[in-house]
Amino acid sequence: MTSVGVLAELEAGMAELSTPMRVFVAAGRFTEPEPDLPQLAARIRMLLASATADEAWRRFLPKYAPPSVPEVCAALEAVETHAAASLLAQVATVDLVWPSHRHLPVEPTERAAARVVSLLGPAATWWTNHDSECGAVNGLTPLFDSLLAGTDGEHFTLALQIADD
């Protein structure tokens, strides 16, 4: 599949994982040569700015500015590729505050997440703001948030859920 085809498939798959006012997504292709974590963090920062500028969230975050690229990098923990699809489906489906509430139906969300992970391939790197060792979250906003970001070194995908208490 061509890079353009992969990008179109990633965008379509990520669109299936978004929900208005809760789960914000992005997919794209890096323009920088040999992008690494700082370039991915810059895309995360852009998604944070876009999500928190949404009218629904502005009232909760009137003076919020996304963390700097180094701060975003410091908040990220690596995720094993074999766990990425499950975590991506969880970010899109399970409400952070009310875990019994589902934003999207489970089965189609799991299929879309598996497809996105498959498109980036087994060599992709995945990052989250969750510390798997202790279960803590390195928040990127003053609210509850959950992020999963992946890249194959050419393309990237981002899923961010924001919730208030």
Side-chain angles (χ1 to χ4, degrees):
M1 185 179 298
T2 68
S3 179
V4 172
V6 169
L7 179 56
E9 290 282 328
L10 285 172
E11 288 172 337
M14 293 305 289
E16 290 181 50
L17 301 174
S18 70
T19 60
M21 301 183 309
R22 285 287 184 213
V23 181
F24 300 86
V25 300
R29 185 170 179 217
F30 289 109
T31 56
E32 303 88 353
E34 300 183 37
D36 205 355
L37 188 55
Q39 288 75 28
L40 183 63
R43 298 315 191 284
I44 293 167
R45 192 171 191 278
M46 290 169 57
L47 181 62
L48 286 164
S50 172
T52 57
D54 184 277
E55 188 176 321
W57 293 109
R58 255 190 318 229
R59 65 187 170 116
F60 295 108
L61 302 163
K63 296 180 183 181
Y64 172 78
S68 67
V69 167
E71 289 169 327
V72 171
C73 287
L76 300 177
E77 301 282 335
V79 173
E80 296 291 329
T81 300
H82 66 83
S86 173
L87 187 53
L88 182 55
Q90 183 178 345
V91 168
T93 305
V94 179
D95 189 87
L96 292 172
V97 177
W98 304 103
S100 61
H101 175 74
R102 300 291 182 256
H103 295 293
L104 295 168
V106 174
E107 289 182 21
T109 303
E110 287 175 342
R111 282 193 300 274
R115 177 74 176 140
V116 166
V117 171
S118 173
L119 285 164
L120 287 183
T125 56
W126 292 90
W127 303 89
T128 185
N129 63 331
H130 293 260
D131 184 330
S132 60
E133 295 292 314
C134 68
V137 177
N138 301 316
L140 297 167
T141 71
L143 303 172
F144 294 107
D145 60 73
S146 183
L147 169 85
L148 183 68
T151 180
D152 64 0
E154 181 178 358
H155 304 92
F156 63 89
T157 60
L158 310 172
L160 171 71
Q161 184 184 142
I162 301 176
D164 62 345
D165 55 357

